[in-house]
Amino acid sequence: ETGVTQTPRHLVMGMTNKKSLKCEQHLGHNAMYWYKQSAKKPLELMFVYNFKEQTENNSVPSRFSPECPNSSHLFLHLHTLQPEDSALYLCASSHGERNEQFFGPGTRLTVL
Amino acid sequence: GEDVEQSLFLSVREGDSSVINCTYTDSSSTYLYWYKQEPGAGLQLLTYIFSNMDMKQDQRLTVLLNKKDKHLSLRIADTQTGDSAIYFCAERRNNFNKFYFGSGTKLNVKP
């Protein structure tokens, strides 16, 4: 238990659906992250929020839309996804100069 | 290159030592990390090393850093079946909030 929770743990959706992934951290951190993990590829940083402000958008397609209403919650809104978007989506948070990131368990997303 | 590189697989026998290697990209990276990912779980921070150190030991884990070659290694002594997982190397480059991860090394420990 790392103090970072993600829901749902598994999600299957069609290409025309709209869904949202949720992340919550109970660590008092000020930065939150979304990563995409695909098999045999490096972890891909998607978005970074620091004190609720987006500081990084790593050329992510607009069908992924992040939202950070406060420092404890992070959402990833999904619409009109493609099958190649199927992956494990990991949320992380961090605080302080050392900046080590604490990860949630991930949401396994399958796009049909 | 731009990528943090790791070999994809490593297989060892229980009780042996495991050495997982990583090549990172930015000689000015200040912190380097090792994370462990067990099946169905997120990444768990194992250990980290500051760039002014050559070695860090933490119980069964030893991290070695060669800044000249930008090479990082993780040695696990007396490897157990519970150590079977994917191990990720990561570097924190100059940008405060930007991490770069390798593809992960899948460690398989045979009884």
Side-chain angles (χ1 to χ4, degrees):
Chain A
E1 185 62 49
T2 61
V4 182
T5 58
Q6 289 186 245
T7 54
R9 294 294 309 276
H10 299 273
L11 178 62
V12 179
M13 59 188 288
M15 289 191 283
T16 58
N17 291 158
K18 284 187 180 182
K19 296 286 184 185
S20 296
L21 309 186
K22 180 182 176 183
C23 175
E24 185 173 358
Q25 57 96 358
H26 311 275
L27 302 167
H29 289 165
N30 55 287
M32 295 187 78
Y33 312 77
W34 279 117
Y35 286 89
K36 176 183 179 183
Q37 185 179 20
S38 305
K40 299 180 185 175
K41 291 175 68 175
L43 216 57
E44 297 175 55
L45 178 65
M46 300 174 72
F47 301 104
V48 181
Y49 278 82
N50 198 9
F51 288 105
K52 302 188 299 177
E53 299 296 320
Q54 189 179 124
T55 58
E56 186 82 29
N57 177 339
N58 218 17
S59 303
V60 181
S62 59
R63 57 186 185 269
F64 294 92
S65 172
E67 179 191 359
C68 189
N70 54 61
S71 293
S72 299
H73 293 86
L74 184 65
F75 295 89
L76 188 62
H77 304 300
L78 316 170
H79 67 100
T80 59
L81 294 193
Q82 304 297 312
E84 60 264 30
D85 296 322
S86 298
L88 182 68
Y89 289 83
L90 292 164
C91 172
S93 68
S94 68
H95 180 71
E97 185 180 344
R98 277 206 322 237
N99 220 177
E100 64 265 31
Q101 297 182 4
F102 292 80
F103 283 79
T107 295
R108 173 67 62 187
L109 174 67
T110 303
V111 182
L112 301 177
Chain B
E2 285 290 314
D3 292 342
V4 176
E5 294 183 349
Q6 302 178 238
S7 53
L8 288 179
F9 298 101
L10 176 65
S11 184
V12 300
R13 292 213 171 272
E14 192 173 20
D16 288 350
S17 291
S18 307
V19 179
I20 302 171
N21 294 302
C22 168
T23 303
Y24 61 98
T25 62
D26 187 350
S27 57
S28 66
S29 289
T30 49
Y31 287 98
L32 297 132
Y33 302 81
W34 284 104
Y35 283 83
K36 176 184 180 182
Q37 185 180 34
E38 296 180 353
L43 277 67
Q44 171 198 355
L45 178 66
L46 277 182
T47 187
Y48 67 93
I49 188 166
F50 188 52
S51 58
N52 69 351
M53 300 167 68
D54 298 324
M55 184 183 89
K56 179 178 180 180
Q57 188 153 0
D58 183 0
Q59 300 182 327
R60 292 190 298 122
L61 305 179
T62 303
V63 179
L64 294 178
L65 176 61
N66 180 332
K67 281 190 70 176
K68 174 176 167 290
D69 295 336
K70 290 182 280 189
H71 184 263
L72 183 73
S73 68
L74 174 70
R75 179 177 179 270
I76 306 173
D78 187 26
T79 314
Q80 303 297 305
T81 53
D83 295 323
S84 292
I86 303 175
Y87 290 81
F88 290 88
C89 156
E91 61 173 331
R92 177 159 74 86
R93 295 182 189 166
N94 283 335
N95 182 299
F96 182 73
N97 276 340
K98 203 153 187 175
F99 273 54
Y100 290 82
F101 287 82
S103 306
T105 299
K106 186 170 185 178
L107 175 65
N108 178 41
V109 182
K110 294 178 282 190

